[in-house]
Amino acid sequence: MNDNMDKKDTIAEDENEHTFHTIEARPVELRSGYDYFGRKWYFKVFTPILVFLLKIFVRYLYAPLFLGFRVKNKKILKKHRNQAKIFIGNHIHPTDAFLIGTVIWPKKVYFLMLYTNLGIPFLGKWLRFLGGAPIPTKRSHLQEFQEQLNDALARGAWVGVYPESSLRPYCDHIRPFKKGAIRFAVDANVGIIPMVFVLRKPYGLYRLFKRKPLLQLHVLEEYIVDDKGTRFETIDFHTQNLHNILSEYFEKHSNIMR
C-alpha cells in the first residue's frame, strides 16, 4: 500500500512540473507596487503592434503549416467580444498562449504566468510586452495583484489562466487543476470561457512531414460560476467541474489514442 501511495504522490507531483525547459532563468523578485498588467504607456504603444505582427507570422504562417493549427467554435468569442472574461485551457505547447492571443485579437488579452518567467533572458521581457502577467507568490502581494486583475477586467480585457499551471508539450490528457486559477475568476466575479487544445493525428500532406499530433483550439460555451455556499465550496466545486468538462471534451475530440 505504501509503495502505491508513493507512486501516486510522485505522479501527482510530476503532473505539476514543466517538461519544457528554456534557458535557465535568473532570480526575480516582485516588489510592492509592481505593474502586473502593463498599465504604463510603453505597453499601450508597443503591445498592440507586437500582437498584430505575431498574428500575421504565427497565426497565418507558422501555426497552420507546422502545427496544423485550426480553430473551432470561434463564433462563441464574437458573442462575448464586448464583455470582460477569464478564459482557461490546457497548457500543452510553448506557443499556445500566443495562438489564443491572436485568435482573440483585437481584444486586449493578458495571460497569468509564473513570475519566474520574467527571469528568462530576453524572452522574459517579450512575454511581458505580449501580455504576460506574473503571479506573485508572496501573500502580501496577492491582494494588490487581484485589484489590478479586477481593474484590467473592468477595462474590458480578457485574462487567460492555465489551471494546470505547468507546460507539458503534447500531453495526452487534462492534468489536475489547481484551485488558485478558479479563485481569480471567483474573486473577479466574471464568466469563464473554457478552451481546449485538442490533439489530432496528422492527415493528408501533414503525414509526409509531421511526427507529432496536429494542434486544434476548440472554444466552449461560457461557464457561469454560481454560488455553492461558502467561498471554499464554490471554488472547490467549480475547479473540479471545469476539470471534468475539459477532460471529457479532450478525450472525445482527440484521436491520438484511437
Side-chain angles (χ1 to χ4, degrees):
M1 178 180 291
N2 289 337
D3 289 342
N4 291 335
M5 290 180 64
D6 291 342
K7 185 179 294 184
K8 290 181 180 179
D9 289 343
T10 300
I11 292 174
E13 181 180 10
D14 290 344
E15 289 280 15
N16 292 323
E17 293 182 356
H18 286 284
T19 59
F20 177 80
H21 300 284
T22 59
I23 302 172
E24 185 175 352
R26 63 179 184 275
V28 175
E29 181 179 354
L30 300 178
R31 298 180 180 180
S32 179
Y34 184 83
D35 181 17
Y36 295 100
F37 290 87
R39 296 174 296 180
K40 293 184 172 59
W41 69 268
Y42 43 83
F43 286 108
K44 297 178 181 179
V45 172
F46 293 110
T47 295
I49 297 174
L50 291 175
V51 175
F52 176 74
L53 293 175
L54 201 68
K55 184 176 181 68
I56 295 175
F57 292 104
V58 174
R59 174 72 175 87
Y60 294 127
L61 297 177
Y62 166 75
L65 179 60
F66 295 100
L67 301 180
F69 184 68
R70 294 179 57 192
V71 182
K72 185 175 181 179
N73 303 328
K74 187 178 179 181
K75 59 184 179 181
I76 294 176
L77 300 177
K78 295 181 180 180
K79 291 194 303 183
H80 303 285
R81 61 189 174 199
N82 296 323
Q83 306 168 348
K85 299 294 177 186
I86 280 183
F87 57 94
I88 65 170
N90 48 331
H91 200 9
I92 61 173
H93 196 273
T95 66
D96 53 23
F98 302 145
L99 290 172
I100 293 177
T102 60
V103 171
I104 298 176
W105 187 88
K107 287 288 294 186
K108 180 62 179 177
V109 178
Y110 296 101
F111 293 89
L112 305 193
M113 66 180 188
L114 298 174
Y115 82 97
T116 51
N117 287 344
L118 296 175
I120 302 175
F122 184 71
L123 181 60
K125 292 184 178 180
W126 276 97
L127 291 174
R128 285 284 285 134
F129 274 102
L130 290 172
I135 305 173
T137 55
K138 291 185 178 180
R139 191 176 297 272
S140 59
H141 292 166
L142 285 175
Q143 181 177 353
E144 186 176 39
F145 175 84
Q146 184 70 52
E147 290 174 354
Q148 291 190 30
L149 170 59
N150 293 347
D151 179 66
L153 291 167
R155 290 183 277 114
W158 283 39
V159 179
V161 185
Y162 286 118
E164 294 173 326
S165 181
S166 60
L167 167 60
R168 179 163 294 196
Y170 296 98
C171 185
D172 62 0
H173 62 282
I174 304 295
R175 289 166 281 144
F177 283 3
K178 290 190 174 183
K179 294 180 181 179
I182 309 305
R183 176 175 62 80
F184 290 127
V186 171
D187 291 344
N189 193 30
V190 295
I192 297 175
I193 303 294
M195 300 185 187
V196 184
F197 277 100
V198 170
L199 299 178
R200 306 288 296 178
K201 294 178 181 178
Y203 61 88
L205 293 177
Y206 287 115
R207 287 184 295 179
L208 300 178
F209 63 93
K210 282 286 291 180
R211 295 295 177 265
K212 293 183 178 180
L214 305 180
L215 201 63
Q216 296 184 358
L217 177 65
H218 291 206
V219 182
L220 280 58
E221 292 288 350
E222 181 183 18
Y223 181 90
I224 302 299
V225 180
D226 59 347
D227 187 15
K228 297 301 178 181
T230 67
R231 181 174 182 274
F232 175 83
E233 290 172 332
T234 298
I235 294 173
D236 187 65
F237 173 84
H238 291 294
T239 298
Q240 188 57 52
N241 196 41
L242 277 166
H243 178 270
N244 293 340
I245 291 173
L246 267 65
S247 293
E248 292 174 5
Y249 191 95
F250 180 90
E251 292 175 4
K252 179 179 179 180
H253 293 85
S254 295
N255 67 359
I256 57 173
M257 303 300 290
R258 301 171 192 170

